[in-house]
Amino acid sequence: MSVVGKIVGAVTGGVDEVHRTVAAYKAAREARDLAIAEAALTVGHHRVAQEAGLSPSRVRQILHDVTAPEGHHGDREGGPQ
């Protein structure tokens, strides 16, 4: 394999790894948000916020995002917090 071929392969492999990592992050984030929303419905957002190290307003936002109908999440993209 040529040097250029090795470089292209390394870059492509790196990009694939980034895609896998982002997909895993999004899945973990979704699972976390679902757990936070479920707990907030059970014990209240203030207690969940305290236990999770989040602000009560962030817990309310997560609860809203999880319980809002699909496609009705406002302008939020759900990026890293």
Side-chain angles (χ1 to χ4, degrees):
M1 180 181 286
S2 71
V3 172
V4 173
K6 289 180 183 180
I7 292 171
V8 169
V11 169
T12 301
V15 170
D16 289 344
E17 182 62 27
V18 168
H19 286 284
R20 285 189 296 274
T21 301
V22 168
Y25 169 80
K26 286 181 179 182
R29 178 77 182 263
E30 184 176 330
R32 181 204 76 157
D33 287 356
L34 288 172
I36 287 171
E38 184 176 291
L41 290 171
T42 304
V43 299
H45 67 278
H46 284 287
R47 179 155 179 219
V48 173
Q50 188 175 35
E51 295 294 327
L54 299 170
S55 69
S57 62
R58 179 66 186 124
V59 172
R60 284 192 305 273
Q61 182 65 53
I62 290 169
L63 184 58
H64 174 268
D65 289 350
V66 168
T67 59
E70 195 63 35
H72 292 88
H73 296 285
D75 294 332
R76 293 198 67 246
E77 222 12 73
Q81 295 290 322

PDB file of all heavy atoms in Angstrom, residues 7 38 47 55 60 63 72:
ATOM      1  N   ILE A   7      -2.332   6.864   4.578  1.00  0.00           N
ATOM      2  CA  ILE A   7      -2.851   8.084   5.194  1.00  0.00           C
ATOM      3  C   ILE A   7      -4.372   8.144   5.037  1.00  0.00           C
ATOM      4  O   ILE A   7      -5.098   8.417   5.998  1.00  0.00           O
ATOM      5  CB  ILE A   7      -2.174   9.339   4.608  1.00  0.00           C
ATOM      6  CG1 ILE A   7      -0.705   9.372   5.023  1.00  0.00           C
ATOM      7  CG2 ILE A   7      -2.900  10.607   5.046  1.00  0.00           C
ATOM      8  CD1 ILE A   7       0.113  10.442   4.323  1.00  0.00           C
ATOM      9  N   GLU A  38     -37.628   9.781  34.380  1.00  0.00           N
ATOM     10  CA  GLU A  38     -38.407   8.818  35.165  1.00  0.00           C
ATOM     11  C   GLU A  38     -38.282   9.109  36.664  1.00  0.00           C
ATOM     12  O   GLU A  38     -39.267   9.110  37.393  1.00  0.00           O
ATOM     13  CB  GLU A  38     -37.932   7.407  34.864  1.00  0.00           C
ATOM     14  CG  GLU A  38     -38.742   6.335  35.567  1.00  0.00           C
ATOM     15  CD  GLU A  38     -38.294   4.954  35.177  1.00  0.00           C
ATOM     16  OE1 GLU A  38     -38.522   4.575  34.019  1.00  0.00           O
ATOM     17  OE2 GLU A  38     -37.708   4.267  36.032  1.00  0.00           O
ATOM     18  N   ARG A  47     -35.084  16.853  43.938  1.00  0.00           N
ATOM     19  CA  ARG A  47     -34.259  15.765  44.488  1.00  0.00           C
ATOM     20  C   ARG A  47     -33.379  15.154  43.409  1.00  0.00           C
ATOM     21  O   ARG A  47     -32.206  14.873  43.638  1.00  0.00           O
ATOM     22  CB  ARG A  47     -35.145  14.699  45.117  1.00  0.00           C
ATOM     23  CG  ARG A  47     -34.315  13.564  45.664  1.00  0.00           C
ATOM     24  CD  ARG A  47     -34.980  12.821  46.768  1.00  0.00           C
ATOM     25  NE  ARG A  47     -34.128  11.738  47.209  1.00  0.00           N
ATOM     26  CZ  ARG A  47     -34.566  10.562  47.544  1.00  0.00           C
ATOM     27  NH1 ARG A  47     -35.865  10.317  47.550  1.00  0.00           N
ATOM     28  NH2 ARG A  47     -33.737   9.621  47.916  1.00  0.00           N
ATOM     29  N   SER A  55     -28.889  21.380  37.768  1.00  0.00           N
ATOM     30  CA  SER A  55     -29.805  22.387  38.295  1.00  0.00           C
ATOM     31  C   SER A  55     -31.239  21.880  38.122  1.00  0.00           C
ATOM     32  O   SER A  55     -31.527  21.099  37.204  1.00  0.00           O
ATOM     33  CB  SER A  55     -29.633  23.709  37.549  1.00  0.00           C
ATOM     34  OG  SER A  55     -30.102  23.577  36.222  1.00  0.00           O
ATOM     35  N   ARG A  60     -35.870  19.936  34.695  1.00  0.00           N
ATOM     36  CA  ARG A  60     -37.163  20.254  34.081  1.00  0.00           C
ATOM     37  C   ARG A  60     -37.059  20.248  32.563  1.00  0.00           C
ATOM     38  O   ARG A  60     -37.961  19.763  31.880  1.00  0.00           O
ATOM     39  CB  ARG A  60     -37.687  21.605  34.574  1.00  0.00           C
ATOM     40  CG  ARG A  60     -38.261  21.567  35.972  1.00  0.00           C
ATOM     41  CD  ARG A  60     -39.023  22.852  36.316  1.00  0.00           C
ATOM     42  NE  ARG A  60     -38.239  24.060  36.155  1.00  0.00           N
ATOM     43  CZ  ARG A  60     -37.455  24.593  37.083  1.00  0.00           C
ATOM     44  NH1 ARG A  60     -37.341  24.019  38.266  1.00  0.00           N
ATOM     45  NH2 ARG A  60     -36.790  25.706  36.843  1.00  0.00           N
ATOM     46  N   LEU A  63     -36.892  16.669  31.425  1.00  0.00           N
ATOM     47  CA  LEU A  63     -38.231  16.098  31.551  1.00  0.00           C
ATOM     48  C   LEU A  63     -39.117  16.571  30.405  1.00  0.00           C
ATOM     49  O   LEU A  63     -39.830  15.777  29.788  1.00  0.00           O
ATOM     50  CB  LEU A  63     -38.831  16.475  32.903  1.00  0.00           C
ATOM     51  CG  LEU A  63     -40.194  15.894  33.238  1.00  0.00           C
ATOM     52  CD1 LEU A  63     -40.186  14.376  33.203  1.00  0.00           C
ATOM     53  CD2 LEU A  63     -40.646  16.390  34.610  1.00  0.00           C
ATOM     54  N   HIS A  72     -41.392  18.159  18.688  1.00  0.00           N
ATOM     55  CA  HIS A  72     -41.826  19.363  19.393  1.00  0.00           C
ATOM     56  C   HIS A  72     -40.862  19.723  20.515  1.00  0.00           C
ATOM     57  O   HIS A  72     -41.247  20.004  21.627  1.00  0.00           O
ATOM     58  CB  HIS A  72     -43.241  19.168  19.962  1.00  0.00           C
ATOM     59  CG  HIS A  72     -44.277  19.079  18.911  1.00  0.00           C
ATOM     60  ND1 HIS A  72     -44.624  17.899  18.306  1.00  0.00           N
ATOM     61  CD2 HIS A  72     -45.025  20.042  18.326  1.00  0.00           C
ATOM     62  CE1 HIS A  72     -45.553  18.129  17.403  1.00  0.00           C
ATOM     63  NE2 HIS A  72     -45.810  19.419  17.388  1.00  0.00           N
TER      64      HIS A  72
END
